[in-house]
Amino acid sequence: MVRDVHCIIGASGQLGTELALGLKRAGEQLVLMDIKQPVYPELLDLPFEMIDVCERGGLADRLGAHRVTHVYHLAAALSARGEQDPQWAWNLNMKGLLNVLDIAHAMPGIRQVFWPSSIAVFGPGSGPIAAQSGHRLPATVYGISKNVGEHWCAWYHQNRNVDVRSVRYPGLVGSLAPPGGGTTDYAVEVFDHIGEGLPYRCFLEAGEVLPMMHMGDAVEAALGLMAAPRSALRCAEAYNIQAMSFSPEELFLEIRRHAPDFAFECIPDFRQDIAAGWPDGLEDSMARADWGWAPKVDLPALVASMMEARLSRLPLNA
Ligand code: AKB
């Protein structure tokens, strides 16, 4: 029996770092790919390829050379950054995905692909709690690319027999790597400002509720979906998954339980408009029924874990 070889494209990013660690600790054989070197010490002994997902030839060559069986394609421009450079974001998000899907079709050794979609596929009109098949009218370049990407995944599954699986991630909060260019990034970067003596300046309104998730649950979602039998999966696009919903104010008040002097102010910028178009939460009964999705971390546990991690590491942006 040939051993599975897992490859993470975008392995140095926020989710990639923690997924790589999860797979490594599970004893899986792993190859990391990114345009920047991993920095997390426990990942430095793993095979690494400096690869741009938009360069199809080099990507196919390296995936073949490592005999990769499972691809996690995480490289993407996020919502806030994407609004500032739409052509770049569209090119990276669409070309990268189509390269991966096309290579997976051409290389039978690649048995499964994981590609994250996002709550950004929803937009004004999706309602406060977005249904699995809810109205999708994304209002950002990132959201449009994720929405179209979901359709491409379904097309490659139905017409090219590529076993590609996806979830709609909310804002992700973890301590090992900084986020880059998202609308939900405040919920991670705030932890680097605690104890600074100045109020943390949040770029969203205090009451803007968004769906959020601890990184541990995000990694479990990817691994759980990839482990499910294909026959159990009714959704060919991306599964809604929900863990918790909170506003900046609710997060900051929870932080204050650990750091009573923590102060904040909310001065919304253009990211508030993006957030205002997203739902407060997602209806995720299909993910729970089909592959046993069950998040473990709630808001108090998320804050406790981030506060504990602060004590044992450098600032995320160091
Ligand atoms: C972003 O804020 O752009 C991302 C997302 C919700 O997909 N974190």
Side-chain angles (χ1 to χ4, degrees):
M1 170 92 181
V2 183
R3 194 161 174 218
D4 292 347
V5 181
H6 299 258
C7 173
I8 302 177
I9 303 171
S12 303
Q14 191 199 14
L15 176 58
T17 299
E18 308 226 20
L19 180 59
L21 214 54
L23 284 163
K24 184 180 181 194
R25 288 178 181 168
E28 297 291 351
Q29 194 167 329
L30 199 52
V31 184
L32 308 183
M33 296 187 182
D34 205 305
I35 54 168
K36 48 185 196 307
Q37 296 272 355
V39 289
Y40 194 71
E42 215 180 309
L43 301 178
L44 298 182
D45 62 344
L46 293 173
F48 172 74
E49 298 280 0
M50 188 82 77
I51 287 286
D52 180 348
V53 71
C54 292
E55 298 297 331
R56 191 190 186 287
L59 179 64
D61 180 65
R62 295 293 83 204
L63 289 169
H66 287 281
R67 299 183 188 282
V68 169
T69 58
H70 292 66
V71 176
Y72 302 79
H73 168 36
L74 312 181
L78 297 187
S79 56
R81 178 82 175 81
E83 289 309 281
Q84 289 165 337
D85 200 341
Q87 298 282 349
W88 165 77
W90 181 256
N91 187 53
L92 170 57
N93 292 3
M94 295 319 305
K95 195 168 180 186
L97 175 61
L98 289 174
N99 279 347
V100 169
L101 293 174
D102 207 43
I103 293 167
H105 167 58
M107 277 186 191
I110 297 179
R111 298 204 304 274
Q112 287 182 28
V113 176
F114 177 82
W115 171 78
S117 184
S118 162
I119 56 167
V121 298
F122 297 111
S126 303
I129 305 298
Q132 175 64 48
S133 304
H135 181 67
R136 279 148 52 189
L137 195 58
T140 58
V141 177
Y142 172 67
I144 299 168
S145 73
K146 290 294 182 186
N147 192 28
V148 173
E150 287 193 17
H151 292 300
W152 274 117
C153 288
W155 188 89
Y156 267 86
H157 177 235
Q158 279 147 17
N159 299 292
R160 296 287 183 270
N161 204 25
V162 174
D163 185 356
V164 51
R165 304 169 180 210
S166 183
V167 295
R168 293 178 182 141
Y169 278 127
L172 302 182
V173 182
S175 60
L176 300 188
T183 301
T184 56
D185 291 4
Y186 84 89
V188 181
E189 68 180 34
V190 60
F191 288 93
D192 274 342
H193 292 267
I194 298 167
E196 264 186 349
L198 291 171
Y200 168 66
R201 183 177 285 191
C202 176
F203 52 76
L204 297 186
E205 279 173 11
E208 180 59 57
V209 175
L210 288 171
M212 307 291 289
M213 185 177 292
H214 186 261
M215 196 57 85
D217 280 331
V219 169
E220 285 303 313
L223 300 181
L225 179 58
M226 288 292 263
R230 182 79 225 192
S231 55
L233 305 181
R234 287 173 290 166
C235 175
E237 295 179 329
Y239 281 92
N240 274 8
I241 51 171
Q242 168 75 13
M244 68 189 95
S245 296
F246 58 74
S247 66
E249 186 170 32
E250 286 165 325
L251 174 66
F252 301 155
L253 293 180
E254 185 63 31
I255 290 174
R256 217 178 255 165
R257 285 160 44 88
H258 298 256
D261 294 339
F262 171 68
F264 62 91
E265 56 186 351
C266 291
I267 304 182
D269 66 15
F270 73 100
R271 290 168 281 193
Q272 173 55 36
D273 294 338
I274 298 176
W278 291 348
D280 296 354
L282 305 187
E283 195 288 307
D284 65 355
S285 54
M286 191 184 263
R288 289 172 187 265
D290 286 7
W291 47 278
W293 162 242
K296 296 191 183 77
V297 182
D298 60 10
L299 177 58
L302 176 145
V303 171
S305 113
M306 291 297 285
M307 293 301 290
E308 199 185 314
R310 279 183 75 241
L311 302 176
S312 56
R313 63 154 173 77
L314 293 168
L316 287 176
N317 289 307

